[in-house]
Amino acid sequence: MKGSHDDMSRPQTNGVRSASATSGAPDSVPQIIEALAIVHSTQSLNESRQQASSFLEEAKNNNDAPYHGFTLAVDHAQPSIVRHYGLSLLEYAIRHKWPDYTDEQSIALREWVLSLAQGGSEEDPAYIRNKIVQLWVEIAKRSWGMEWMDMDKLLVQLWTGPLVQKDMVLGVLETLSEDIFNHEDATAGLRGNDLNRACVEIFTPAAVLTQYFPTRETNINVRYEDVGWLARIGDLLAWCLKNGVQNNEKVKTSAVKALAVLRTAMGWAIPKAIIAAGCVDNILECLAVQDIRIRMGSVEALHALYSRSHFQDDEFLALVCPMYTSDMVSLLKQIYMWSTVDAADIDEARYLLCKKYSEMMSNMGTFIEEKPLVIPQGSDLRGLFMLYIDILNSPSLTVSIPILHLWVKTLSSDIISNSEEVSSLIGPLLEVCSQRLVRYEALPEDSDNPTIIFLNEDIDTIPERHAFMGNYRRFCVQIVEIVVQRKPFEATNHILGQVDHVLSHLYDGEPTFQGTSPQRSFSQRRELS
């Protein structure tokens, strides 16, 4: 490639096959277009379609394939299926032939992909833009931080374009973060440490790196500008909230993509960077938006953040404790009520949100047990624990079980379990756990019991259902045992209260007792006399 596409067609000595060495290789782009037309035409004969498919598959091994791919993909006049195939030629070259290319060839491939990204428009189908994003990421995993040092600058330049190009940048950042930190990606794994450092560098505000990591290596600079992507994404979310995120589908899509990037980053980003960029405030503002996609993105981002195993005290105060304020607890209650669904008419999207919300709330509550003495005065823990009781009472055991597990851990903490906020809720907690000891899996599958309906919705097989219910009952038994051992007074009060309730309502639904004397017959009166 030596800087031009003509070199792609020349025989290579570095392991890349020449065009003449590929049997049946296409000599021109028109042949590829013709083969694609045969493959996708409903009128094509099976034999012709098979031959065309074989031809297109062999075309990937042609040394000219990357140039053919770029030529097809960059031409907006071509049908989307033709452009997509062109992108697949580039993808094959990057994934399978990258080590065989010279530096000049690699640079040419990279420039083609950058050109495609810069030419992305709203008219392009989403799957075309997503494919370009994937190509960018595949090249980044192989060369970013080595021969490709200005990727961050190119991303920032693309960021200054229209909203659709911002979305592509967000796609690159999300996929790169996922592949490097959250997925076992083989390519990223080969350069794990280098890519980890590069990602942390471009996401984190420069001031945070300077202040908290003054001795870090600075001989390789991959960042552009001091802001960092956490802050840029926060600014985009603020802009979306002010520009019709609920009513404008394009703005909403950008907000959802921005939240997706934060979700991938919350598990590995430096906590001080998350604080400095105001990420939690931005996420909470999105959480208040009554839109299922925005709320799901916000809950997933918070879930990722609170899944972290440890925060220092100052980080805990800044990142977790805002969730314990009265206003926030009130919003969390509203979101739970908003996400609950009727077992007779399950809204899949809202039900999925409700389950993820319960997991997030459980993770968030774990920090109360870990750092009870750090929680600020004035936190609405009573309201929060009452909300936990409400979620625990959900007819869906899948929604309930994360909170049930949280209560086991909470009651095991001497400080929290002896607090007034928890002690006042021992009765309702025992009531739920006692009722949920029922063997639901023994009930008929066609039962109209809401809990059975949700179980059938969530768990497909009977063995899995039995295992799930076994875990649920085990948590219930643990809670009862802990309360009886540690809080016998509260447990006794609850039992006596239940007995009193049963005796008070023993004859509910029965006819009232008549206290009149029995009437004797005339013959009975004569016998008595």
Side-chain angles (χ1 to χ4, degrees):
M1 227 165 353
K2 306 300 179 188
S4 70
H5 67 78
D6 290 334
D7 291 350
M8 273 292 198
S9 62
R10 299 174 186 170
Q12 303 294 325
T13 59
N14 59 356
V16 180
R17 297 173 67 188
S18 68
S20 59
T22 305
S23 176
D27 296 325
S28 63
V29 168
Q31 288 180 278
I32 297 177
I33 297 175
E34 182 181 358
L36 286 168
I38 293 173
V39 168
H40 292 282
S41 174
T42 57
Q43 299 178 351
S44 300
L45 298 176
N46 285 338
E47 184 179 357
S48 299
R49 184 177 288 110
Q50 290 173 1
Q51 290 176 352
S53 297
S54 299
F55 177 84
L56 293 172
E57 191 64 29
E58 292 174 0
K60 296 178 181 179
N61 288 312
N62 191 329
N63 282 352
D64 270 345
Y67 173 65
H68 290 156
F70 172 72
T71 303
L72 293 170
V74 79
D75 187 356
H76 287 255
Q78 295 289 351
S80 297
I81 56 173
V82 173
R83 297 182 63 206
H84 189 269
Y85 176 77
L87 295 173
S88 71
L89 291 178
L90 288 168
E91 181 181 32
Y92 186 89
I94 296 168
R95 285 180 177 269
H96 300 284
K97 297 188 175 184
W98 188 266
D100 298 326
Y101 291 145
T102 64
D103 291 344
E104 292 80 3
Q105 289 176 316
S106 301
I107 292 171
L109 261 177
R110 188 173 75 223
E111 289 177 348
W112 287 342
V113 172
L114 298 179
S115 176
L116 291 170
Q118 292 161 357
S121 67
E122 294 178 359
E123 288 71 29
D124 293 334
Y127 64 87
I128 293 289
R129 299 197 299 269
N130 292 340
K131 194 72 168 179
I132 295 172
V133 165
Q134 187 61 49
L135 295 180
W136 184 307
V137 173
E138 291 300 328
I139 292 178
K141 289 187 294 188
R142 289 162 172 81
S143 63
W144 181 37
M146 294 192 300
E147 61 268 20
W148 189 13
M149 300 300 296
D150 65 342
M151 187 188 80
D152 195 37
K153 178 180 179 180
L154 295 169
L155 287 173
V156 173
Q157 290 174 348
L158 201 60
W159 186 257
T160 61
L163 205 56
V164 66
Q165 292 190 337
K166 285 185 172 63
D167 291 349
M168 295 183 73
V169 173
L170 293 171
V172 170
L173 295 173
E174 178 191 359
T175 309
L176 201 57
S177 175
E178 282 279 14
D179 287 353
I180 293 173
F181 291 97
N182 302 333
H183 290 166
E184 294 182 359
D185 185 89
T187 304
L190 294 174
R191 302 185 55 233
N193 291 334
D194 293 337
L195 293 175
N196 289 356
R197 284 195 295 268
C199 252
V200 171
E201 182 79 24
I202 68 170
F203 271 79
T204 307
V208 173
L209 290 174
T210 302
Q211 181 178 358
Y212 294 100
F213 303 96
T215 60
R216 78 185 195 285
E217 295 182 12
T218 57
N219 55 326
I220 299 179
N221 185 19
V222 295
R223 73 178 299 133
Y224 179 73
E225 298 182 343
D226 294 338
V227 179
W229 283 106
L230 289 178
R232 290 192 189 97
I233 292 169
D235 292 341
L236 176 64
L237 283 175
W239 180 87
C240 290
L241 290 168
K242 294 177 182 178
N243 287 271
V245 70
Q246 282 187 274
N247 304 317
N248 188 316
E249 193 62 30
K250 295 177 183 177
V251 175
K252 183 187 300 184
T253 298
S254 292
V256 171
K257 287 181 177 291
L259 289 167
V261 179
L262 292 182
R263 171 187 59 79
T264 65
M266 288 300 98
W268 57 262
I270 300 170
K272 298 293 192 300
I274 298 174
I275 297 169
C279 293
V280 171
D281 291 338
N282 293 323
I283 295 171
L284 294 183
E285 287 187 31
C286 292
L287 190 63
V289 177
Q290 292 190 14
D291 178 86
I292 188 68
R293 293 171 61 199
I294 299 294
R295 280 192 163 166
M296 176 58 88
S298 304
V299 167
E300 287 181 332
L302 291 173
H303 179 271
L305 177 62
Y306 299 142
S307 295
R308 299 178 73 138
S309 59
H310 178 72
F311 289 119
Q312 296 179 7
D313 288 353
D314 58 333
E315 297 166 352
F316 169 71
L317 288 169
L319 298 175
V320 185
C321 289
M323 304 295 287
Y324 303 154
T325 63
S326 296
D327 290 344
M328 198 62 234
V329 170
S330 177
L331 175 61
L332 292 172
K333 289 179 181 178
Q334 294 174 21
I335 293 171
Y336 174 64
M337 297 304 297
W338 188 83
S339 66
T340 53
V341 296
D342 187 350
D345 184 22
I346 298 176
D347 183 322
E348 294 290 345
R350 290 205 179 195
Y351 186 41
L352 185 61
L353 170 63
C354 193
K355 289 188 282 189
K356 181 61 69 173
Y357 168 87
S358 176
E359 294 174 6
M360 181 273 290
M361 291 292 291
S362 177
N363 291 346
M364 185 187 79
T366 301
F367 290 101
I368 300 176
E369 176 258 330
E370 291 179 358
K371 295 181 178 290
L373 300 179
V374 186
I375 299 173
Q377 293 292 327
S379 298
D380 188 12
L381 293 185
R382 180 183 296 275
L384 184 60
F385 281 121
M386 290 178 66
L387 174 58
Y388 283 139
I389 292 292
D390 290 341
I391 303 173
L392 183 65
N393 269 297
S394 171
S396 168
L397 301 187
T398 309
V399 172
S400 174
I401 196 169
I403 305 303
L404 183 65
H405 189 210
L406 173 65
W407 274 111
V408 174
K409 292 187 287 186
T410 299
L411 292 173
S412 300
S413 169
D414 292 333
I415 297 176
I416 293 298
S417 63
N418 291 324
S419 66
E420 182 182 349
E421 292 85 354
V422 171
S423 296
S424 63
L425 296 174
I426 291 299
L429 185 59
L430 285 175
E431 179 71 14
V432 177
C433 292
S434 300
Q435 293 175 351
R436 293 284 169 86
L437 289 173
V438 174
R439 290 188 174 273
Y440 288 100
E441 65 271 31
L443 297 177
E445 288 193 20
D446 58 353
S447 171
D448 59 358
N449 185 300
T451 298
I452 296 298
I453 295 174
F454 281 119
L455 273 175
N456 293 335
E457 174 73 18
D458 294 327
I459 305 175
D460 294 330
T461 67
I462 293 177
E464 289 176 331
R465 201 173 302 159
H466 281 220
F468 174 83
M469 287 307 308
N471 285 332
Y472 195 97
R473 281 192 296 272
R474 178 167 56 85
F475 290 145
C476 288
V477 169
Q478 283 181 317
I479 288 176
V480 173
E481 290 176 345
I482 292 172
V483 170
V484 170
Q485 293 172 4
R486 294 194 172 198
K487 296 180 175 294
F489 180 77
E490 288 86 347
T492 303
N493 279 345
H494 172 70
I495 294 171
L496 293 176
Q498 290 295 98
V499 171
D500 183 63
H501 176 78
V502 170
L503 293 177
S504 299
H505 298 276
L506 187 61
Y507 295 103
D508 285 359
E510 299 292 333
T512 57
F513 177 73
Q514 300 294 329
T516 57
S517 301
Q519 297 295 323
R520 295 187 178 93
S521 66
F522 177 74
S523 60
Q524 289 175 324
R525 289 199 298 269
R526 287 187 61 185
E527 291 174 359
L528 289 173
S529 62

